[in-house]
Structure formats: structure tokens, C-alpha cells
Amino acid sequence: MGDNSVSSEDTPEVQDVLDALDDPACRAILQETIEPMTANELLDACDIPKSTLYRKLELLSSASLVREQETINPGGGRVTYYERSFEDVTISMDDTGAFSVSVDRPPKSTDERLADIWSMMGDEV
């Protein structure tokens, strides 16, 4: 239960990581998402257009560098928060010249694991 290893589906493609880290808007988002932020908060903090923000968040999600968390708004509806999902990214090259990427992730709290389960249940409905 306390295993925080990254499954193969959480291991991004090297090119996806390189594309995301090469993008200035993606880097700005990563700098701001140390703590969870809503899209509106990111718009203000990063000073980028809304359509650009969502494209960059998709790029970062594809690279497994940002994750979404949905919470229930007490007034009704859901609120989505975005948070950086790694502590360290390492890109390596082996003896054959093949590149690989390794992503170290912080351990999830019980609340975060429960939120992930809740989010998956919401997707099923």
C-alpha cells in the first residue's frame, strides 16, 4: 500500500518530456504548480492566454509532469486543480545510444490517493 513506484504507464516518452521542458510556457506552469492551482490561478500567474494554457497543460499531462485533481465544490460542481507531479526528471543514454527517462515522484498522501479514486469514479459515471 505504501509503494510509490512509477508504473510503466506513468513513464513518459523521452520526446514528450523534452518537448514539454523546451516550451517556455510549460516551464512557467511547472514553476507555479509546486502547490495545486486552478486554471484561473495559472492564467494570472503565468500570464498566458486561456487556450494556450489548456494546450500546455495537455502537453505537460502527456509527459506525466502535471496531474489533475478534481474536488467537489461546496457550492456545487467540481473544481480542477493542477499540480506538478514529479520531484526530479533524469534523461539518460545507455551504451547502445538509446535514451530513457526516469521520473521521481513524491509519495502521495492518503487524501491524494482517495481523491484519485474519487476522480476515477467520477469518470466512470
Side-chain angles (χ1 to χ4, degrees), residues 41-55:
E41 291 169 335
L42 283 168
L43 286 171
D44 292 339
C46 298
D47 194 33
I48 56 178
K50 191 173 194 172
S51 60
T52 300
L53 175 71
Y54 285 106
R55 281 197 315 273

Side-chain angles (χ1 to χ4, degrees), residues 48-101:
I48 56 178
K50 191 173 194 172
S51 60
T52 300
L53 175 71
Y54 285 106
R55 281 197 315 273
K56 302 308 178 182
L57 286 169
E58 180 61 34
L59 182 61
L60 289 163
S61 291
S62 294
S64 298
L65 300 177
V66 167
R67 68 185 186 113
E68 294 180 19
Q69 285 186 328
E70 287 188 347
T71 60
I72 303 298
N73 186 347
R78 295 181 183 188
V79 177
T80 302
Y81 289 91
Y82 301 91
E83 182 177 27
R84 189 170 67 201
S85 64
F86 67 94
E87 290 180 342
D88 191 40
V89 174
T90 305
I91 298 174
S92 306
M93 184 170 51
D94 66 18
D95 295 339
T96 66
F99 286 95
S100 64
V101 64

